[in-house]
């Protein structure tokens, strides 16, 4: 290796966990798995063993592959009549408010343990137990909440205090943990060690699966042993879009975000050869948002949907990006949604609330059949140069703002010639439901001149996602990275 590599992630400890593995001779996938396990402790409300995600691997001769281990709709053998109601919780981002839903009925079949185990089987080079041990120790020692994680705890407090078990872990004393308070969980440490020793099996057909299903079933959940027993990660071919002589690889269907991102990139490529303006960016966002119709959502499960969709129109989440010294990239995005508020005793597993997220259920709640992989806006992305080499690996958190954040970082690097750090720091816009949301520094007057209605933010905000990016300079080969300050991100060189 010419250099050990670079890691960007949503927390300094997450990034350092991956960088340490690179220094010890691991590859990008080894590093990404170690970082994900560390994020279960350092970013406990955004991810965990009860969550799901996607991993994109490319470069260094690897066949570009998107490993899908996102959440599946539950309900095999369950009685819908016993399903509990979703419990609404209002989450405020300051200038914007979203309503999320929690409770047992919001829980889907999780994928993180299966996905990480499959990734190591396919691409890993180091021992799984060795990769898991530092994260388990982190859970036992505890992690002091930094400002960004404390903010997540603050805004999700209605969910964290919704059950006694969740309160005991995330809100002891009746209030959510605050900046400087330590999150620690011996039960989560044991669960991480189980993953290191036994892989995914205990989570899907063993005692951990039994504990999760029993706890949710008693509270009106629909997740069954049959759901977990049938769960498998799926390897998919990434969707591709041409942009400025480069290839943008991202998440294919049944994820929605990657397909809409690919459309937006291609539309920008068509509009002009020069850097797009804020108006150009919002225009393609508006088109992509307008195409997210019921027919679009229903079609995502169909074979070949992305090719047909693009051909017809081209005439609480965290991300980790890794580049190793051999040029291999691994971009992995995971989410627990906002969490269901259900922490299963004895396991430390906080189960996702994906079935209760309106953004992920555009056709209405509980309309997807059991076993259907849920749609998602998550879009781990890699940009390949003209010679097929990895130039940029990135992704973001932020629900519907994910594709907006990724689009604007790519534009910053490719069109404006910014380093990844400056592209991540640059002010962002987002279009949704007829409104343009804008951070300070955006050309708001040009947007107002088009007759658009704006919602302006006073500062950079978590609302606009958390983009983590690593890049290789096309000329020098130097690696650099960027952690998004909107979510307390960090980049660490190995």
């Amino acid at each position: 290796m010419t250099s050990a590599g670079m890691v960007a992630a949503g927390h300094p400890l997450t990034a350092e966990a991956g960088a340490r593995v690179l220094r010890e001779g691991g590859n990008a996938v080894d590093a990404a798995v170690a970082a994900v396990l560390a994020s279960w402790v350092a970013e406990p409300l955004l991810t965990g063993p009860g969550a799901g995600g996607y991993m994109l691997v490319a470069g260094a001769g690897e066949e570009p592959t998107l490993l899908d281990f996102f959440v599946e709709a539950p309900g095999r053998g369950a009685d819908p009549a016993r399903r509990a109601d979703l419990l609404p919780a209002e989450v405020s981002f300051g200038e914007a408010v979203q309503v999320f839903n929690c409770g047992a009925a919001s829980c889907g079949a999780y994928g993180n343990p299966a996905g990480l185990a499959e990734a190591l089987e396919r691409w890993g080079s180091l021992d799984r137990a060795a990769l898991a041990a530092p994260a388990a120790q982190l859970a036992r020692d505890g992690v002091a909440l930094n400002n960004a994680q404390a903010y997540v705890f603050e805004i999700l407090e209605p969910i964290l205090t919704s059950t006694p078990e969740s309160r005991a872990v995330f809100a002891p004393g009746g209030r959510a943990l605050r900046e400087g308070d330590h999150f620690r969980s011996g039960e989560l440490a044991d669960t991480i060690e189980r993953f290191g020793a036994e892989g995914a099996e205990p989570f899907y057909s063993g005692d951990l699966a039994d504990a999760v299903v029993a706890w949710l079933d008693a509270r009106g959940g629909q997740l069954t042993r049959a759901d977990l027993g049938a769960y498998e990660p799926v390897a998919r071919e990434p969707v591709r879009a041409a942009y400025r002589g480069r290839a943008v690889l991202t998440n294919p269907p049944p994820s929605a975000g990657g397909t809409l991102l690919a459309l937006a990139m291609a539309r920008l490529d068509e509009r002009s050869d020069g850097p797009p303006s804020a108006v150009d960016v919002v225009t393609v966002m508006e088109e992509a948002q307008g195409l997210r119709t019921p027919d679009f959502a229903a079609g995502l499960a169909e074979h070949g949907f992305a090719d047909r969709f693009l051909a017809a129109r081209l005439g609480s989440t965290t991300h980790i990006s890794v580049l190793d010294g051999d040029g291999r990239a691994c971009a992995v995005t995971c989410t627990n949604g906002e969490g269901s508020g259900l922490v299963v005793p004895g396991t430390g597993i906080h189960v996702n609330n994906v079935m209760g997220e309106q953004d992920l259920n555009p056709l209405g709640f509980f309309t997807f059949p059991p076993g259907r992989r849920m749609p998602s806006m998550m879009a781990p992305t890699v940009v390949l140069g003209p010679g097929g080499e990895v130039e940029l690996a990135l992704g973001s958190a932020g629900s519907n703002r994910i594709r907006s954040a990724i689009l604007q970082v790519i534009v910053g690097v490719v069109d404006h010639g910014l380093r990844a750090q400056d592209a991540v720091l640059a002010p962002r816009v987002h279009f949704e439901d007829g409104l343009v949301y804008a951070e300070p520094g955006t050309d708001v007057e040009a947007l107002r001149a088009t007759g658009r209605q704006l919602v302006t933010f006073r500062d950079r905000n978590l609302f606009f996602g958390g983009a983590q990016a690593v890049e290789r300079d096309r000329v020098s080969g130097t690696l650099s990275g960027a952690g998004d300050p909107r979510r307390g991100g960090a980049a660490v060189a190995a």
Side-chain angles (χ1 to χ4, degrees), residues 19-96:
R20 181 174 58 245
V21 168
L22 291 176
R23 296 185 199 112
E24 294 171 353
N27 64 30
V29 176
D30 296 317
V33 169
V36 170
L37 293 172
S39 74
W40 292 3
V41 186
E43 307 166 63
L45 301 186
L46 304 178
T47 183
Y54 305 91
M55 177 184 289
L56 178 58
V57 177
E62 301 284 3
E63 181 68 25
T65 303
L66 188 288
L67 189 63
D68 177 349
F69 50 96
F70 194 49
V71 174
E72 279 188 352
R76 293 177 176 89
D79 180 3
R82 294 188 62 245
R83 184 177 63 221
D85 292 334
L86 292 170
L87 305 177
E90 191 173 89
V91 172
S92 172
F93 293 90
E95 288 85 350

Side-chain angles (χ1 to χ4, degrees), residues 229-327:
Y231 189 93
E232 292 184 355
V234 179
R236 306 187 192 277
E237 180 181 354
V239 65
R240 290 175 176 251
Y243 189 71
R244 308 296 196 244
R246 297 163 172 83
V248 178
L249 311 182
T250 189
N251 201 358
S255 166
T259 302
L260 295 173
L261 173 63
L263 171 68
M265 298 303 309
R267 277 287 191 254
L268 279 181
D269 202 39
E270 292 173 352
R271 290 178 72 88
S272 69
D273 294 329
S277 67
V279 173
D280 292 328
V281 170
V282 169
T283 298
V284 299
M285 288 180 185
E286 183 175 13
E287 179 181 359
Q289 178 69 24
L291 291 169
R292 197 181 176 213
T293 62
D295 286 343
F296 174 86
L300 284 168
E302 299 173 6
H303 179 71
F305 174 76
D307 290 339
R308 296 194 304 274
F309 177 80
L310 294 173
R313 291 164 176 84
L314 295 183
S316 278
T317 303
T318 189
H319 180 82
I320 297 161
S321 293
V322 185
L323 262 174
D324 65 27
D326 292 331

Side-chain angles (χ1 to χ4, degrees), residues 86-90 99-102:
L86 292 170
L87 305 177
E90 191 173 89
V99 175
F100 298 105
N101 296 285
C102 59

Side-chain angles (χ1 to χ4, degrees), residues 156-411:
L156 295 184
E157 187 164 14
I159 295 174
L160 304 183
T161 57
S162 63
T163 68
E165 297 74 28
S166 180
R167 285 196 296 274
V169 176
F170 300 121
R175 65 158 178 84
L177 295 174
R178 298 174 184 171
E179 185 174 2
D181 290 342
H182 280 71
F183 168 76
R184 58 170 55 88
S185 172
E187 292 179 348
L188 179 59
D190 291 342
T191 292
I192 294 172
E193 287 180 340
R194 290 287 300 279
F195 173 80
E198 303 174 52
E201 187 276 334
F203 298 85
Y204 296 92
S205 59
D207 59 305
L208 294 178
D210 288 339
V212 172
V213 169
W215 191 255
L216 297 183
D217 180 68
R219 289 153 181 80
Q222 295 284 285
L223 184 65
T224 67
R225 277 299 303 269
D227 293 322
L228 294 178
Y231 189 93
E232 292 184 355
V234 179
R236 306 187 192 277
E237 180 181 354
V239 65
R240 290 175 176 251
Y243 189 71
R244 308 296 196 244
R246 297 163 172 83
V248 178
L249 311 182
T250 189
N251 201 358
S255 166
T259 302
L260 295 173
L261 173 63
L263 171 68
M265 298 303 309
R267 277 287 191 254
L268 279 181
D269 202 39
E270 292 173 352
R271 290 178 72 88
S272 69
D273 294 329
S277 67
V279 173
D280 292 328
V281 170
V282 169
T283 298
V284 299
M285 288 180 185
E286 183 175 13
E287 179 181 359
Q289 178 69 24
L291 291 169
R292 197 181 176 213
T293 62
D295 286 343
F296 174 86
L300 284 168
E302 299 173 6
H303 179 71
F305 174 76
D307 290 339
R308 296 194 304 274
F309 177 80
L310 294 173
R313 291 164 176 84
L314 295 183
S316 278
T317 303
T318 189
H319 180 82
I320 297 161
S321 293
V322 185
L323 262 174
D324 65 27
D326 292 331
R328 183 182 295 102
C330 183
V332 55
T333 314
C334 298
T335 186
N336 211 31
E338 295 69 41
S340 62
L342 276 295
V343 178
V344 181
T347 72
I349 297 174
H350 183 201
V351 189
N352 67 83
N353 72 325
V354 165
M355 305 311 297
E357 281 214 51
Q358 188 169 1
D359 289 347
L360 305 185
N361 293 272
L363 303 180
F365 296 117
F366 309 120
T367 59
F368 292 120
R372 167 76 181 271
R373 200 63 57 102
M374 295 295 290
S376 171
M377 289 296 109
M378 293 192 291
T381 299
V382 170
V383 178
L384 302 180
E389 70 286 356
V390 174
E391 290 187 358
L392 181 68
L394 73 162
S396 182
S399 191
N400 277 342
R401 281 79 64 191
I402 288 174
R403 62 181 183 273
S404 302
I406 295 171
L407 171 70
Q408 290 168 91
V409 173
I410 294 175
V411 166

Side-chain angles (χ1 to χ4, degrees), residues 392-453:
L392 181 68
L394 73 162
S396 182
S399 191
N400 277 342
R401 281 79 64 191
I402 288 174
R403 62 181 183 273
S404 302
I406 295 171
L407 171 70
Q408 290 168 91
V409 173
I410 294 175
V411 166
V413 171
V414 174
D415 290 291
H416 295 282
L418 300 177
R419 304 300 296 172
Q421 179 68 31
D422 294 324
V424 167
L425 290 174
R428 293 183 195 148
V429 295
H430 175 71
F431 178 88
E432 189 169 349
D433 296 333
L435 299 175
V436 177
Y437 299 87
E439 289 186 313
T442 303
D443 188 357
V444 294
E445 294 309 316
L447 290 166
R448 284 198 178 100
T450 66
R452 300 183 187 278
Q453 186 175 353

